[in-house]
PDB file of all heavy atoms in Angstrom:
ATOM      1  N   ARG A   1       8.799  63.310  72.698  1.00  0.00           N
ATOM      2  CA  ARG A   1       7.789  63.373  73.766  1.00  0.00           C
ATOM      3  C   ARG A   1       8.448  64.012  74.984  1.00  0.00           C
ATOM      4  O   ARG A   1       9.555  63.616  75.372  1.00  0.00           O
ATOM      5  CB  ARG A   1       7.295  61.964  74.091  1.00  0.00           C
ATOM      6  CG  ARG A   1       6.369  61.847  75.320  1.00  0.00           C
ATOM      7  CD  ARG A   1       6.036  60.381  75.557  1.00  0.00           C
ATOM      8  NE  ARG A   1       5.310  60.152  76.801  1.00  0.00           N
ATOM      9  CZ  ARG A   1       3.986  60.102  76.907  1.00  0.00           C
ATOM     10  NH1 ARG A   1       3.239  60.264  75.831  1.00  0.00           N
ATOM     11  NH2 ARG A   1       3.411  59.870  78.076  1.00  0.00           N
ATOM     12  N   GLN A   2       7.768  64.991  75.557  1.00  0.00           N
ATOM     13  CA  GLN A   2       8.289  65.625  76.761  1.00  0.00           C
ATOM     14  C   GLN A   2       7.178  65.717  77.794  1.00  0.00           C
ATOM     15  O   GLN A   2       6.076  66.211  77.506  1.00  0.00           O
ATOM     16  CB  GLN A   2       8.843  67.022  76.463  1.00  0.00           C
ATOM     17  CG  GLN A   2       9.492  67.664  77.675  1.00  0.00           C
ATOM     18  CD  GLN A   2      10.371  68.853  77.325  1.00  0.00           C
ATOM     19  OE1 GLN A   2      10.513  69.207  76.167  1.00  0.00           O
ATOM     20  NE2 GLN A   2      10.975  69.456  78.331  1.00  0.00           N
ATOM     21  N   THR A   3       7.448  65.206  78.979  1.00  0.00           N
ATOM     22  CA  THR A   3       6.521  65.283  80.097  1.00  0.00           C
ATOM     23  C   THR A   3       7.298  65.722  81.329  1.00  0.00           C
ATOM     24  O   THR A   3       8.515  65.950  81.270  1.00  0.00           O
ATOM     25  CB  THR A   3       5.856  63.917  80.375  1.00  0.00           C
ATOM     26  OG1 THR A   3       6.831  63.034  80.945  1.00  0.00           O
ATOM     27  CG2 THR A   3       5.287  63.295  79.107  1.00  0.00           C
ATOM     28  N   ALA A   4       6.605  65.823  82.437  1.00  0.00           N
ATOM     29  CA  ALA A   4       7.283  66.156  83.689  1.00  0.00           C
ATOM     30  C   ALA A   4       8.189  65.027  84.154  1.00  0.00           C
ATOM     31  O   ALA A   4       9.051  65.230  85.024  1.00  0.00           O
ATOM     32  CB  ALA A   4       6.246  66.472  84.771  1.00  0.00           C
ATOM     33  N   GLU A   5       8.006  63.826  83.554  1.00  0.00           N
ATOM     34  CA  GLU A   5       8.772  62.653  83.980  1.00  0.00           C
ATOM     35  C   GLU A   5       9.928  62.306  83.046  1.00  0.00           C
ATOM     36  O   GLU A   5      10.959  61.807  83.501  1.00  0.00           O
ATOM     37  CB  GLU A   5       7.830  61.448  84.086  1.00  0.00           C
ATOM     38  CG  GLU A   5       6.739  61.645  85.115  1.00  0.00           C
ATOM     39  CD  GLU A   5       5.619  60.626  85.005  1.00  0.00           C
ATOM     40  OE1 GLU A   5       5.487  59.990  83.942  1.00  0.00           O
ATOM     41  OE2 GLU A   5       4.872  60.474  85.992  1.00  0.00           O
ATOM     42  N   THR A   6       9.743  62.568  81.740  1.00  0.00           N
ATOM     43  CA  THR A   6      10.758  62.158  80.764  1.00  0.00           C
ATOM     44  C   THR A   6      10.828  63.128  79.593  1.00  0.00           C
ATOM     45  O   THR A   6       9.865  63.840  79.294  1.00  0.00           O
ATOM     46  CB  THR A   6      10.462  60.761  80.175  1.00  0.00           C
ATOM     47  OG1 THR A   6       9.260  60.821  79.397  1.00  0.00           O
ATOM     48  CG2 THR A   6      10.346  59.701  81.251  1.00  0.00           C
ATOM     49  N   THR A   7      11.974  63.094  78.924  1.00  0.00           N
ATOM     50  CA  THR A   7      12.153  63.729  77.618  1.00  0.00           C
ATOM     51  C   THR A   7      12.765  62.674  76.710  1.00  0.00           C
ATOM     52  O   THR A   7      13.840  62.142  77.018  1.00  0.00           O
ATOM     53  CB  THR A   7      13.081  64.954  77.697  1.00  0.00           C
ATOM     54  OG1 THR A   7      12.504  65.913  78.594  1.00  0.00           O
ATOM     55  CG2 THR A   7      13.256  65.585  76.322  1.00  0.00           C
ATOM     56  N   VAL A   8      12.060  62.358  75.616  1.00  0.00           N
ATOM     57  CA  VAL A   8      12.490  61.262  74.731  1.00  0.00           C
ATOM     58  C   VAL A   8      12.453  61.736  73.283  1.00  0.00           C
ATOM     59  O   VAL A   8      11.469  62.347  72.846  1.00  0.00           O
ATOM     60  CB  VAL A   8      11.579  60.025  74.878  1.00  0.00           C
ATOM     61  CG1 VAL A   8      12.061  58.902  73.962  1.00  0.00           C
ATOM     62  CG2 VAL A   8      11.525  59.553  76.321  1.00  0.00           C
ATOM     63  N   THR A   9      13.514  61.436  72.544  1.00  0.00           N
ATOM     64  CA  THR A   9      13.554  61.689  71.107  1.00  0.00           C
ATOM     65  C   THR A   9      14.014  60.418  70.409  1.00  0.00           C
ATOM     66  O   THR A   9      14.986  59.782  70.842  1.00  0.00           O
ATOM     67  CB  THR A   9      14.505  62.839  70.756  1.00  0.00           C
ATOM     68  OG1 THR A   9      14.053  64.031  71.408  1.00  0.00           O
ATOM     69  CG2 THR A   9      14.541  63.078  69.246  1.00  0.00           C
ATOM     70  N   VAL A  10      13.316  60.053  69.332  1.00  0.00           N
ATOM     71  CA  VAL A  10      13.650  58.868  68.545  1.00  0.00           C
ATOM     72  C   VAL A  10      13.713  59.259  67.073  1.00  0.00           C
ATOM     73  O   VAL A  10      12.817  59.957  66.572  1.00  0.00           O
ATOM     74  CB  VAL A  10      12.605  57.747  68.734  1.00  0.00           C
ATOM     75  CG1 VAL A  10      12.832  56.616  67.726  1.00  0.00           C
ATOM     76  CG2 VAL A  10      12.640  57.211  70.152  1.00  0.00           C
ATOM     77  N   ALA A  11      14.749  58.825  66.386  1.00  0.00           N
ATOM     78  CA  ALA A  11      14.852  58.955  64.935  1.00  0.00           C
ATOM     79  C   ALA A  11      15.177  57.582  64.378  1.00  0.00           C
ATOM     80  O   ALA A  11      15.997  56.850  64.955  1.00  0.00           O
ATOM     81  CB  ALA A  11      15.934  59.956  64.543  1.00  0.00           C
ATOM     82  N   LEU A  12      14.528  57.217  63.260  1.00  0.00           N
ATOM     83  CA  LEU A  12      14.787  55.887  62.698  1.00  0.00           C
ATOM     84  C   LEU A  12      14.617  55.856  61.189  1.00  0.00           C
ATOM     85  O   LEU A  12      13.980  56.725  60.592  1.00  0.00           O
ATOM     86  CB  LEU A  12      13.887  54.832  63.352  1.00  0.00           C
ATOM     87  CG  LEU A  12      12.363  54.973  63.290  1.00  0.00           C
ATOM     88  CD1 LEU A  12      11.807  54.616  61.926  1.00  0.00           C
ATOM     89  CD2 LEU A  12      11.720  54.080  64.339  1.00  0.00           C
ATOM     90  N   ASP A  13      15.229  54.849  60.612  1.00  0.00           N
ATOM     91  CA  ASP A  13      15.098  54.522  59.189  1.00  0.00           C
ATOM     92  C   ASP A  13      14.814  53.035  59.121  1.00  0.00           C
ATOM     93  O   ASP A  13      15.672  52.223  59.477  1.00  0.00           O
ATOM     94  CB  ASP A  13      16.385  54.874  58.440  1.00  0.00           C
ATOM     95  CG  ASP A  13      16.315  54.584  56.944  1.00  0.00           C
ATOM     96  OD1 ASP A  13      15.344  53.940  56.484  1.00  0.00           O
ATOM     97  OD2 ASP A  13      17.249  54.991  56.227  1.00  0.00           O
ATOM     98  N   LEU A  14      13.598  52.671  58.690  1.00  0.00           N
ATOM     99  CA  LEU A  14      13.213  51.265  58.648  1.00  0.00           C
ATOM    100  C   LEU A  14      14.026  50.466  57.638  1.00  0.00           C
ATOM    101  O   LEU A  14      14.086  49.235  57.730  1.00  0.00           O
ATOM    102  CB  LEU A  14      11.724  51.138  58.311  1.00  0.00           C
ATOM    103  CG  LEU A  14      10.739  51.720  59.329  1.00  0.00           C
ATOM    104  CD1 LEU A  14       9.315  51.486  58.851  1.00  0.00           C
ATOM    105  CD2 LEU A  14      10.952  51.132  60.719  1.00  0.00           C
ATOM    106  N   ASP A  15      14.642  51.134  56.685  1.00  0.00           N
ATOM    107  CA  ASP A  15      15.408  50.448  55.643  1.00  0.00           C
ATOM    108  C   ASP A  15      16.897  50.723  55.800  1.00  0.00           C
ATOM    109  O   ASP A  15      17.616  50.986  54.834  1.00  0.00           O
ATOM    110  CB  ASP A  15      14.910  50.895  54.263  1.00  0.00           C
ATOM    111  CG  ASP A  15      13.436  50.586  54.074  1.00  0.00           C
ATOM    112  OD1 ASP A  15      13.062  49.412  54.210  1.00  0.00           O
ATOM    113  OD2 ASP A  15      12.656  51.517  53.814  1.00  0.00           O
ATOM    114  N   GLY A  16      17.356  50.637  57.025  1.00  0.00           N
ATOM    115  CA  GLY A  16      18.743  50.940  57.331  1.00  0.00           C
ATOM    116  C   GLY A  16      19.627  49.713  57.343  1.00  0.00           C
ATOM    117  O   GLY A  16      19.330  48.685  56.719  1.00  0.00           O
ATOM    118  N   THR A  17      20.706  49.809  58.108  1.00  0.00           N
ATOM    119  CA  THR A  17      21.698  48.732  58.187  1.00  0.00           C
ATOM    120  C   THR A  17      21.821  48.166  59.598  1.00  0.00           C
ATOM    121  O   THR A  17      22.615  47.265  59.837  1.00  0.00           O
ATOM    122  CB  THR A  17      23.077  49.243  57.748  1.00  0.00           C
ATOM    123  OG1 THR A  17      23.499  50.290  58.646  1.00  0.00           O
ATOM    124  CG2 THR A  17      23.035  49.776  56.311  1.00  0.00           C
ATOM    125  N   GLY A  18      21.043  48.730  60.535  1.00  0.00           N
ATOM    126  CA  GLY A  18      21.133  48.277  61.915  1.00  0.00           C
ATOM    127  C   GLY A  18      22.015  49.145  62.787  1.00  0.00           C
ATOM    128  O   GLY A  18      22.328  48.765  63.918  1.00  0.00           O
ATOM    129  N   ALA A  19      22.404  50.322  62.289  1.00  0.00           N
ATOM    130  CA  ALA A  19      23.217  51.235  63.087  1.00  0.00           C
ATOM    131  C   ALA A  19      22.390  51.771  64.251  1.00  0.00           C
ATOM    132  O   ALA A  19      21.212  52.093  64.090  1.00  0.00           O
ATOM    133  CB  ALA A  19      23.725  52.381  62.226  1.00  0.00           C
ATOM    134  N   ALA A  20      23.009  51.890  65.423  1.00  0.00           N
ATOM    135  CA  ALA A  20      22.274  52.324  66.600  1.00  0.00           C
ATOM    136  C   ALA A  20      23.099  53.296  67.433  1.00  0.00           C
ATOM    137  O   ALA A  20      24.303  53.127  67.612  1.00  0.00           O
ATOM    138  CB  ALA A  20      21.881  51.125  67.459  1.00  0.00           C
ATOM    139  N   LYS A  21      22.408  54.314  67.931  1.00  0.00           N
ATOM    140  CA  LYS A  21      22.984  55.256  68.892  1.00  0.00           C
ATOM    141  C   LYS A  21      21.935  55.431  69.983  1.00  0.00           C
ATOM    142  O   LYS A  21      20.936  56.126  69.782  1.00  0.00           O
ATOM    143  CB  LYS A  21      23.313  56.583  68.217  1.00  0.00           C
ATOM    144  CG  LYS A  21      23.995  57.578  69.129  1.00  0.00           C
ATOM    145  CD  LYS A  21      24.319  58.859  68.390  1.00  0.00           C
ATOM    146  CE  LYS A  21      24.991  59.874  69.325  1.00  0.00           C
ATOM    147  NZ  LYS A  21      25.264  61.159  68.607  1.00  0.00           N
ATOM    148  N   ILE A  22      22.142  54.765  71.102  1.00  0.00           N
ATOM    149  CA  ILE A  22      21.113  54.646  72.131  1.00  0.00           C
ATOM    150  C   ILE A  22      21.621  55.192  73.465  1.00  0.00           C
ATOM    151  O   ILE A  22      22.715  54.830  73.909  1.00  0.00           O
ATOM    152  CB  ILE A  22      20.690  53.172  72.341  1.00  0.00           C
ATOM    153  CG1 ILE A  22      20.431  52.462  71.005  1.00  0.00           C
ATOM    154  CG2 ILE A  22      19.492  53.098  73.269  1.00  0.00           C
ATOM    155  CD1 ILE A  22      19.249  52.960  70.234  1.00  0.00           C
ATOM    156  N   SER A  23      20.819  56.050  74.088  1.00  0.00           N
ATOM    157  CA  SER A  23      21.154  56.545  75.421  1.00  0.00           C
ATOM    158  C   SER A  23      19.863  56.787  76.189  1.00  0.00           C
ATOM    159  O   SER A  23      19.161  57.769  75.953  1.00  0.00           O
ATOM    160  CB  SER A  23      21.961  57.844  75.334  1.00  0.00           C
ATOM    161  OG  SER A  23      22.237  58.335  76.633  1.00  0.00           O
ATOM    162  N   THR A  24      19.527  55.852  77.087  1.00  0.00           N
ATOM    163  CA  THR A  24      18.311  55.983  77.887  1.00  0.00           C
ATOM    164  C   THR A  24      18.603  56.158  79.377  1.00  0.00           C
ATOM    165  O   THR A  24      17.694  56.446  80.146  1.00  0.00           O
ATOM    166  CB  THR A  24      17.407  54.744  77.731  1.00  0.00           C
ATOM    167  OG1 THR A  24      18.048  53.609  78.337  1.00  0.00           O
ATOM    168  CG2 THR A  24      17.102  54.457  76.271  1.00  0.00           C
ATOM    169  N   GLY A  25      19.850  55.948  79.766  1.00  0.00           N
ATOM    170  CA  GLY A  25      20.186  55.948  81.180  1.00  0.00           C
ATOM    171  C   GLY A  25      19.957  54.606  81.854  1.00  0.00           C
ATOM    172  O   GLY A  25      20.253  54.448  83.034  1.00  0.00           O
ATOM    173  N   ILE A  26      19.423  53.642  81.091  1.00  0.00           N
ATOM    174  CA  ILE A  26      19.184  52.287  81.595  1.00  0.00           C
ATOM    175  C   ILE A  26      20.026  51.337  80.755  1.00  0.00           C
ATOM    176  O   ILE A  26      19.710  51.076  79.590  1.00  0.00           O
ATOM    177  CB  ILE A  26      17.691  51.908  81.505  1.00  0.00           C
ATOM    178  CG1 ILE A  26      16.828  52.930  82.249  1.00  0.00           C
ATOM    179  CG2 ILE A  26      17.468  50.505  82.066  1.00  0.00           C
ATOM    180  CD1 ILE A  26      15.339  52.755  82.025  1.00  0.00           C
ATOM    181  N   GLY A  27      21.088  50.830  81.324  1.00  0.00           N
ATOM    182  CA  GLY A  27      22.057  50.051  80.564  1.00  0.00           C
ATOM    183  C   GLY A  27      21.452  48.860  79.852  1.00  0.00           C
ATOM    184  O   GLY A  27      21.734  48.619  78.669  1.00  0.00           O
ATOM    185  N   PHE A  28      20.617  48.105  80.542  1.00  0.00           N
ATOM    186  CA  PHE A  28      20.072  46.897  79.919  1.00  0.00           C
ATOM    187  C   PHE A  28      19.089  47.257  78.803  1.00  0.00           C
ATOM    188  O   PHE A  28      19.056  46.579  77.770  1.00  0.00           O
ATOM    189  CB  PHE A  28      19.377  46.003  80.951  1.00  0.00           C
ATOM    190  CG  PHE A  28      19.060  44.634  80.414  1.00  0.00           C
ATOM    191  CD1 PHE A  28      20.050  43.676  80.297  1.00  0.00           C
ATOM    192  CD2 PHE A  28      17.779  44.313  79.995  1.00  0.00           C
ATOM    193  CE1 PHE A  28      19.775  42.411  79.773  1.00  0.00           C
ATOM    194  CE2 PHE A  28      17.486  43.057  79.483  1.00  0.00           C
ATOM    195  CZ  PHE A  28      18.484  42.106  79.368  1.00  0.00           C
ATOM    196  N   LEU A  29      18.311  48.310  78.977  1.00  0.00           N
ATOM    197  CA  LEU A  29      17.407  48.743  77.913  1.00  0.00           C
ATOM    198  C   LEU A  29      18.191  49.223  76.701  1.00  0.00           C
ATOM    199  O   LEU A  29      17.817  48.923  75.552  1.00  0.00           O
ATOM    200  CB  LEU A  29      16.476  49.847  78.420  1.00  0.00           C
ATOM    201  CG  LEU A  29      15.428  50.358  77.429  1.00  0.00           C
ATOM    202  CD1 LEU A  29      14.517  49.237  76.942  1.00  0.00           C
ATOM    203  CD2 LEU A  29      14.616  51.490  78.045  1.00  0.00           C
ATOM    204  N   ASP A  30      19.279  49.933  76.922  1.00  0.00           N
ATOM    205  CA  ASP A  30      20.150  50.329  75.803  1.00  0.00           C
ATOM    206  C   ASP A  30      20.593  49.102  75.014  1.00  0.00           C
ATOM    207  O   ASP A  30      20.562  49.083  73.778  1.00  0.00           O
ATOM    208  CB  ASP A  30      21.393  51.061  76.315  1.00  0.00           C
ATOM    209  CG  ASP A  30      21.097  52.462  76.825  1.00  0.00           C
ATOM    210  OD1 ASP A  30      19.937  52.907  76.732  1.00  0.00           O
ATOM    211  OD2 ASP A  30      22.041  53.102  77.324  1.00  0.00           O
ATOM    212  N   HIS A  31      21.005  48.077  75.728  1.00  0.00           N
ATOM    213  CA  HIS A  31      21.472  46.837  75.095  1.00  0.00           C
ATOM    214  C   HIS A  31      20.359  46.199  74.266  1.00  0.00           C
ATOM    215  O   HIS A  31      20.574  45.779  73.126  1.00  0.00           O
ATOM    216  CB  HIS A  31      21.958  45.873  76.183  1.00  0.00           C
ATOM    217  CG  HIS A  31      22.451  44.562  75.695  1.00  0.00           C
ATOM    218  ND1 HIS A  31      23.268  44.418  74.588  1.00  0.00           N
ATOM    219  CD2 HIS A  31      22.229  43.293  76.169  1.00  0.00           C
ATOM    220  CE1 HIS A  31      23.536  43.136  74.404  1.00  0.00           C
ATOM    221  NE2 HIS A  31      22.905  42.434  75.337  1.00  0.00           N
ATOM    222  N   MET A  32      19.139  46.158  74.807  1.00  0.00           N
ATOM    223  CA  MET A  32      18.023  45.547  74.084  1.00  0.00           C
ATOM    224  C   MET A  32      17.663  46.352  72.837  1.00  0.00           C
ATOM    225  O   MET A  32      17.352  45.774  71.776  1.00  0.00           O
ATOM    226  CB  MET A  32      16.795  45.439  74.992  1.00  0.00           C
ATOM    227  CG  MET A  32      16.941  44.475  76.156  1.00  0.00           C
ATOM    228  SD  MET A  32      17.239  42.743  75.667  1.00  0.00           S
ATOM    229  CE  MET A  32      19.027  42.626  75.938  1.00  0.00           C
ATOM    230  N   LEU A  33      17.728  47.673  72.918  1.00  0.00           N
ATOM    231  CA  LEU A  33      17.409  48.508  71.757  1.00  0.00           C
ATOM    232  C   LEU A  33      18.495  48.414  70.688  1.00  0.00           C
ATOM    233  O   LEU A  33      18.198  48.477  69.486  1.00  0.00           O
ATOM    234  CB  LEU A  33      17.203  49.956  72.192  1.00  0.00           C
ATOM    235  CG  LEU A  33      15.976  50.195  73.074  1.00  0.00           C
ATOM    236  CD1 LEU A  33      15.933  51.640  73.559  1.00  0.00           C
ATOM    237  CD2 LEU A  33      14.688  49.836  72.343  1.00  0.00           C
ATOM    238  N   GLU A  34      19.735  48.245  71.101  1.00  0.00           N
ATOM    239  CA  GLU A  34      20.807  48.011  70.128  1.00  0.00           C
ATOM    240  C   GLU A  34      20.586  46.696  69.392  1.00  0.00           C
ATOM    241  O   GLU A  34      20.766  46.606  68.164  1.00  0.00           O
ATOM    242  CB  GLU A  34      22.164  48.010  70.838  1.00  0.00           C
ATOM    243  CG  GLU A  34      22.599  49.381  71.315  1.00  0.00           C
ATOM    244  CD  GLU A  34      23.734  49.339  72.315  1.00  0.00           C
ATOM    245  OE1 GLU A  34      24.175  48.218  72.675  1.00  0.00           O
ATOM    246  OE2 GLU A  34      24.173  50.421  72.763  1.00  0.00           O
ATOM    247  N   LEU A  35      20.161  45.648  70.111  1.00  0.00           N
ATOM    248  CA  LEU A  35      19.841  44.369  69.484  1.00  0.00           C
ATOM    249  C   LEU A  35      18.650  44.510  68.537  1.00  0.00           C
ATOM    250  O   LEU A  35      18.647  43.944  67.437  1.00  0.00           O
ATOM    251  CB  LEU A  35      19.505  43.324  70.552  1.00  0.00           C
ATOM    252  CG  LEU A  35      20.612  42.899  71.508  1.00  0.00           C
ATOM    253  CD1 LEU A  35      20.035  41.991  72.588  1.00  0.00           C
ATOM    254  CD2 LEU A  35      21.733  42.207  70.759  1.00  0.00           C
TER     255      LEU A  35
END
């Protein structure tokens, strides 16, 4: 998704192992998405 406010890309595998690579610029949100 790209707007004048943000650019966001998400890739996922619902049947994965829980591996995460997160970078939002918001430290606490990164932590929550890793969890």
